[in-house]
Amino acid sequence: MNHAERLPTERGSTLVLAVLAAGQFLMTLDSSVMNVSMASVAADLDTPVTGIQTAITLYTLVMATLMITGGKVGSMLGRKRAFAVGLVVYGAGSLTTALAPNLAVLLLGWSLLEGLGAVLIMPAIVALVAANVPPARRAAAYGLVAAAGACAVAVGPMIGGAVTTFASWRYVFLGEVVLVLAILLVLRRVADVAPVAVRLDLVGSALSVLGLGAVVYGVLRSSDWGWVRPRPVGPQLLGLSPVIWLLLSGLVVLYGLLRWEVRLARIGREPLIDIALLRHRQLVGGLAMFFAQFLVQAGVFFAVPLYLSVALELTAVETGLRVLPLSAALVLAAVGIPKIRPRADPRRVVRLGLISMVVGITILVAGLDPGAGAEVVLIPMVFLGFGLGALSSQLGAVTVAAVPDVRSAEVGGLQNTATNLGASFGTALIGSVLIAALIGAARTGIDDNPAVPAPVQEQITTQLADGASFVSTTQLREALAAAGVPQATADAIVSVNADARLIALRAALSLAALLAVGALFGTGLIPKRAVGSPAPPECTQSGGEK
């Protein structure tokens, strides 16, 4: 028996798991760091902030569109080799980004090279956990890896804010190069899975890139262009926003991909996606829950930092500190649940996790009032962290256990596609509701406020029709002072803006809670038997409700 065929044992799996968790942390850190460093990066590269936003969009786009193909390539190369190649590409991208003299080089290093590295690394992580961790420990292992990614989202703003404030954003990417080198040095301890001799479905890959690319890009631009009705300052096509056309065309292409894959399977050729996998209830249930988790998680991570950094005007470091309880609770739940209750019912754990998320969001919504401070997020963050950790403790093991280990890289590609789609939709949906509620509340507050003269009301109403931004009291006062607005009128407008911000945040977070409740209806596809537990004679493969 060769090294790649050995069964995973307890010995050495802790170090291997630390390596894979570090890889997951690395993959997720970039976006959260860049979000708080955009202004500094733009100034350093002498480019508009919109240029940095484009880089963020393209990075997300590369990952979302190529993740399925990356999983397939990983199967062909071998999981460890794909992981290593991905790390080298990612490290080269990080170094290029750290040394970037202009936006074009930043796009090459961060958006393209790091994105390409990520599509090899992330599916390989899923497969390598299965190859290196005994079945009894896989739920905890996948939970720890998922927790590492979620923690990167939570602490990224604090790291980015601190490094950017006291040094330079470039040191974040140099630090990533160091982490890549450290992972490569211990990679030899990771057991591999032998590559599979298959041909890459180039037509299917092209269709998946075009279809997923159109859908994800449409979702990412929805806040600027509008979903259906075009924004006054945005583009339009046949009287509608380009977003709806991108979504429609993307879905049509994805349907074409489905038909193409079915045809390949029928004639005995190797498809990009084995459609038979998507007929497995347990796998579909796991993917659906991954989508729902990242849908809600992205929405919460969008709204809560806005409250802390804009409404309360905390620094990036202070904002990160307030979110740390979520990270702590997430790690404790993701690792602790499988350790304390290794035979826990996955379906029940997922349901409890979703309910905990709903409770946390509800407490937060109830606590948002004009007199609230940063302390209002403490208890909600704990509930949210526990809920996310509960889901993380089960879903990775559930999806991989649905198929033989040899298919784990393909499952990794599907899993990471679901998470990227969920995160994109979550940010876009929550952002759209937040801005719509902000505009509606501000318009009503201005119209009903006698302290705001009619000409000023008319001017503000016109500006709101063109869109609105979530701005702090300090930013608004500076803008009003620069416009020569009288103090009494400025005070009234500032008051309206403060009230509108809270209304918008409540609306956005309420939608996040509603999405979490909706996800409960899909939990029947999650199995009741823990991964690694012996199957009772009457147990069926479906894993559905009995």
Side-chain angles (χ1 to χ4, degrees):
M1 181 180 292
N2 62 36
H3 181 63
E5 293 172 336
R6 292 180 203 149
L7 291 174
T9 63
E10 297 280 347
R11 185 179 180 182
S13 62
T14 301
L15 175 61
V16 170
L17 190 54
V19 170
L20 299 178
Q24 187 70 37
F25 182 89
L26 183 67
M27 295 301 96
T28 318
L29 183 65
D30 269 3
S31 295
S32 58
V33 167
M34 191 65 89
N35 282 333
V36 300
S37 305
M38 281 194 295
S40 297
V41 177
D44 197 4
L45 299 181
D46 193 23
T47 188
V49 172
T50 53
I52 309 304
Q53 291 172 328
T54 299
I56 294 174
T57 300
L58 290 178
Y59 178 63
T60 303
L61 204 59
V62 169
M63 285 200 299
T65 56
L66 290 172
M67 199 64 74
I68 294 175
T69 302
K72 197 70 172 183
V73 171
S75 297
M76 297 166 63
L77 292 176
R79 316 308 191 246
K80 187 161 73 172
R81 182 179 297 172
F83 188 66
V85 171
L87 282 171
V88 171
V89 175
Y90 192 93
S94 296
L95 182 60
T96 302
T97 304
L99 303 175
N102 52 49
L103 179 60
V105 177
L106 180 79
L107 291 171
L108 171 64
W110 190 51
S111 303
L112 181 60
L113 291 178
E114 288 195 27
L116 290 175
V119 303
L120 290 174
I121 294 170
M122 296 176 79
I125 288 174
V126 176
L128 288 171
V129 170
N132 288 270
V133 178
R137 292 184 58 196
R138 283 184 190 169
Y142 283 116
L144 180 61
V145 170
C151 286
V153 175
V155 304
M158 184 170 61
I159 294 173
V163 174
T164 301
T165 300
F166 300 112
S168 168
W169 60 273
R170 297 178 186 273
Y171 286 105
V172 174
F173 292 93
L174 288 175
E176 290 186 349
V177 176
V178 174
L179 184 56
V180 164
L181 293 174
I183 295 173
L184 286 171
L185 286 175
V186 296
L187 192 57
R188 61 184 180 83
R189 298 288 301 273
V190 177
D192 198 4
V193 180
V196 180
V198 297
R199 294 180 61 186
L200 181 62
D201 172 18
L202 295 177
V203 173
S205 295
L207 291 174
S208 71
V209 168
L210 290 173
L212 289 171
V215 170
V216 173
Y217 187 65
V219 170
L220 292 175
R221 297 312 302 264
S222 61
S223 59
D224 299 320
W225 294 349
W227 288 93
V228 179
R229 183 181 176 184
R231 293 284 170 84
V233 294
Q236 58 178 283
L237 181 62
L238 300 179
L240 299 176
S241 166
V243 169
I244 188 64
W245 297 115
L246 284 168
L247 294 177
L248 289 173
S249 60
L251 290 173
V252 169
V253 173
L254 290 176
Y255 178 75
L257 170 65
L258 174 65
R259 302 316 310 163
W260 173 258
E261 299 303 287
V262 169
R263 176 181 177 276
L264 288 187
R266 187 171 60 245
I267 64 177
R269 292 175 57 187
E270 183 71 26
L272 177 70
I273 307 169
D274 185 355
I275 302 302
L277 291 177
L278 301 180
R279 298 191 184 103
H280 199 296
R281 288 169 58 87
Q282 178 174 324
L283 177 60
V284 171
L287 294 176
M289 288 301 105
F290 265 118
F291 178 85
Q293 175 186 347
F294 278 78
L295 185 75
V296 177
Q297 176 180 304
V300 170
F301 276 124
F302 178 83
V304 171
L306 276 182
Y307 171 69
L308 294 171
S309 63
V310 178
L312 299 184
E313 301 191 46
L314 301 183
T315 66
V317 175
E318 291 170 332
T319 297
L321 288 172
R322 296 306 190 281
V323 180
L324 276 182
L326 183 147
S327 300
L330 193 154
V331 173
L332 287 174
V335 180
I337 291 174
K339 188 174 182 65
I340 297 172
R341 295 290 303 276
R343 303 298 184 210
D345 178 345
R347 188 186 302 169
R348 181 177 299 167
V349 173
V350 169
R351 286 174 175 169
L352 288 174
L354 289 170
I355 291 170
S356 180
M357 291 163 66
V358 172
V359 170
I361 297 171
T362 302
I363 294 173
L364 181 56
V365 171
L368 290 178
D369 60 58
E375 69 282 351
V376 75
V377 306
L378 175 59
I379 294 176
M381 289 298 98
V382 174
F383 274 99
L384 281 163
F386 176 82
L388 292 170
L391 267 67
S392 298
S393 73
Q394 306 297 318
L395 295 183
V398 164
T399 55
V400 174
V403 299
D405 283 353
V406 71
R407 312 296 298 273
S408 55
E410 295 174 65
V411 171
L414 292 171
Q415 175 180 306
N416 284 291
T417 299
T419 59
N420 274 284
L421 287 174
S424 299
F425 272 95
T427 303
L429 287 173
I430 298 300
S432 296
V433 169
L434 185 140
I435 295 301
L438 179 70
I439 292 173
R443 182 177 293 155
T444 300
I446 291 295
D447 290 344
D448 295 343
N449 197 318
V452 181
V456 177
Q457 288 184 5
E458 184 177 346
Q459 183 179 1
I460 292 176
T461 301
T462 301
Q463 291 176 344
L464 289 173
D466 293 337
S469 299
F470 203 82
V471 296
S472 67
T473 297
T474 300
Q475 291 172 318
L476 183 57
R477 284 198 180 277
E478 290 175 352
L480 292 172
V485 176
Q487 186 63 44
T489 303
D491 290 342
I493 295 173
V494 166
S495 177
V496 168
N497 179 60
D499 292 339
R501 279 196 314 242
L502 289 180
I503 291 171
L505 284 166
R506 290 192 191 108
L509 289 167
S510 296
L511 175 60
L514 184 62
L515 294 171
V517 171
L520 284 167
F521 289 90
T523 54
L525 296 174
I526 303 296
K528 300 184 71 173
R529 181 173 58 88
V531 173
S533 299
E538 70 276 9
C539 181
T540 64
Q541 187 184 26
S542 68
E545 298 274 12
K546 296 232 181 173

